Amino acid sequence: MRKPDLMGRDRVLPSNSNMNKAKLRKGLWSPEEDEKLIKYMLTNGQGCWSDIARNAGLQRCGKSCRLRWINYLRPDLKRGAFSPQEEELIIHLHSILGNRWSQIAARLPGRTDNEIKNFWNSTLKKRLKMNNTSTFSTNDSDSSEPRDYAIGNMIMPMHDHDIMTLCMDSSSSSSISMQGMVTGNQFDSFSMLNSRYDVTGAASLFDMSTCFPQVGMGDGFYGDHYGILEATNKTGLALPPLESRSFEEKNTVSNCRIDMESNNNNCSDNICFNNTDQRFKVENMLELENHWQGENLRMGEWDFEGFMENISSFPLLDFQAE
DNA sequence: AACTAGTACAACCGCGGAGCC
DNA sequence: AGGCTCCGCGGTTGTACTAGT
């Protein structure tokens, strides 16, 4: 963990007529700032971020406070390295959703979009590329050349426009059909990764999310997902819960206690998070109204294998855009 | 020990959408 | 309708840390 940017601590935005704005700090957050923001958030809950920044006594813009809270201070964050299961899920979801980090993060409880994005850019992308260069060479400069695309267990030489054609149902401008790809040839993006999946070529052209219209927003629980996951949900298959983005609204201040002095590293029964130089322990931080509690699933403990099994074996995908 | 290159990740920036007046 | 503010997202940057020489 990095130490606070002591130089950045004194960095300020250029002054203007507004003295408050003149003192706005940038750069890394100090432990003191973190503490202020945590205390304020736990006491007052989420509101207008610019007000939060002001009322919490922080010389930061609201945007910076929001980012710090969402990406680092939120007590429901799961810190630490990504598990192999999480890695698999990220790869899989990325093959479906592309760079929609917030949507990927929504399906990885305790992880933030920023964290996943960084992990992807710094680790997974390179790893996938390494794996693929040994088995699959593409000529990115010439998209007219047919490439090998994996669909299920099949490797199919295709032109880029074929891929586009597959994603478009020519019979209707509003209807998108994946039947031809999926029916009979089980679509499995993992196979693409495991066999001949080319990150720079096929993935970008084969970005499933571009093929799927955004289906209705539903009742909010899986509100912002795309068709492929909607289908999964509708079939009653196990999906991980969306990360509770509005947990602040549910938290009960009276149940909160921050133990700033505690160095107890045992987090098994508590929600813990690391600060730059401190470890905070939050006991009963919130009434995690986990939608999955009824299924005895806790954060990070959902049925990953079941999910992966289900998501990669859709029997039929035929989406109708509204 | 000193230097360099590579890596990881926190934070910033710019943009677009939504809501309000 | 147009302007403003706020929020959220994805891309990018900056820098502490680490490994290699």
Side-chain angles (χ1 to χ4, degrees), chain A residues 103-122:
Chain A
Q103 294 185 35
I104 294 173
R107 290 162 182 87
L108 279 150
R111 300 296 187 182
T112 69
D113 52 355
N114 205 38
E115 197 177 9
I116 293 168
K117 180 173 61 181
N118 284 331
F119 182 58
W120 176 268
N121 288 329
S122 64

Side-chain angles (χ1 to χ4, degrees), chain A residues 5 7-9 11 25-30 33 60 64:
Chain A
D5 179 12
M7 294 183 68
R9 189 173 300 188
R11 251 187 285 167
R25 285 193 49 217
K26 294 176 76 175
L28 294 184
W29 282 62
S30 68
E33 286 179 305
R60 296 272 183 176
S64 181

Side-chain angles (χ1 to χ4, degrees), chain A residues 40 47 59 80 91 93 108 122 156 162 175-176 180 182 200 213 258 311 315:
Chain A
Y40 184 89
Q59 273 122 31
I91 293 167
L93 288 172
L108 279 150
S122 64
M156 301 177 70
D162 293 331
S175 174
I176 305 235
V182 181
T200 57
I258 304 179
I311 199 173

Side-chain angles (χ1 to χ4, degrees), chain A residues 55-97:
Chain A
N55 297 336
L58 293 162
Q59 273 122 31
R60 296 272 183 176
C61 65
K63 206 172 180 176
S64 181
C65 292
R66 176 188 161 271
L67 203 69
R68 183 64 178 171
W69 176 256
I70 288 175
N71 286 334
Y72 204 79
L73 299 177
R74 247 170 40 188
D76 60 336
L77 289 180
K78 185 201 293 180
R79 308 297 301 178
F82 284 85
S83 69
Q85 287 79 18
E86 285 176 314
E87 289 183 22
E88 276 189 37
L89 182 56
I90 291 168
I91 293 167
H92 190 59
L93 288 172
H94 187 270
S95 72
I96 297 168
L97 297 167

Side-chain angles (χ1 to χ4, degrees), chain A residues 1-153:
Chain A
M1 194 56 62
R2 222 161 276 155
K3 293 175 184 173
D5 179 12
L6 296 177
M7 294 183 68
R9 189 173 300 188
D10 298 325
R11 251 187 285 167
V12 295
L13 291 174
S15 61
N16 56 21
S17 57
N18 187 329
M19 286 302 287
N20 287 333
K21 285 182 182 175
K23 288 183 178 179
L24 288 182
R25 285 193 49 217
K26 294 176 76 175
L28 294 184
W29 282 62
S30 68
E32 293 77 23
E33 286 179 305
D34 284 345
E35 192 180 327
K36 280 183 182 177
L37 182 55
I38 291 169
K39 279 183 177 175
Y40 184 89
M41 291 300 292
L42 294 178
T43 306
N44 301 285
Q46 190 170 321
C48 174
W49 284 107
S50 51
D51 290 343
I52 290 171
R54 193 167 42 247
N55 297 336
L58 293 162
Q59 273 122 31
R60 296 272 183 176
C61 65
K63 206 172 180 176
S64 181
C65 292
R66 176 188 161 271
L67 203 69
R68 183 64 178 171
W69 176 256
I70 288 175
N71 286 334
Y72 204 79
L73 299 177
R74 247 170 40 188
D76 60 336
L77 289 180
K78 185 201 293 180
R79 308 297 301 178
F82 284 85
S83 69
Q85 287 79 18
E86 285 176 314
E87 289 183 22
E88 276 189 37
L89 182 56
I90 291 168
I91 293 167
H92 190 59
L93 288 172
H94 187 270
S95 72
I96 297 168
L97 297 167
N99 290 359
R100 293 180 174 84
W101 304 115
S102 63
Q103 294 185 35
I104 294 173
R107 290 162 182 87
L108 279 150
R111 300 296 187 182
T112 69
D113 52 355
N114 205 38
E115 197 177 9
I116 293 168
K117 180 173 61 181
N118 284 331
F119 182 58
W120 176 268
N121 288 329
S122 64
T123 307
L124 290 180
K125 198 157 78 175
K126 288 171 192 168
R127 191 187 302 168
L128 287 170
K129 203 162 189 172
M130 290 271 287
N131 289 344
N132 285 305
T133 49
S134 60
T135 57
F136 182 36
S137 63
T138 60
N139 183 358
D140 288 337
S141 62
D142 184 4
S143 63
S144 65
E145 286 300 311
R147 302 177 182 182
D148 288 349
Y149 290 95
I151 297 177
N153 296 324

Side-chain angles (χ1 to χ4, degrees), chain A residues 283-310:
Chain A
E283 293 181 3
N284 303 320
M285 178 69 81
L286 51 138
E287 296 174 349
L288 269 179
E289 190 187 355
N290 194 327
H291 294 276
W292 296 75
Q293 275 184 339
E295 302 170 38
N296 294 325
L297 283 175
R298 299 172 62 185
M299 210 186 314
E301 294 179 358
W302 44 270
D303 181 12
F304 174 80
E305 288 183 4
F307 169 63
M308 294 308 299
E309 198 172 306
N310 291 328

Side-chain angles (χ1 to χ4, degrees), chain A residues 247-260:
Chain A
F247 93 93
E248 299 89 352
E249 296 161 13
K250 297 171 187 167
N251 84 33
T252 308
V253 174
S254 61
N255 286 343
C256 300
R257 184 173 77 86
I258 304 179
D259 186 355
M260 299 292 189

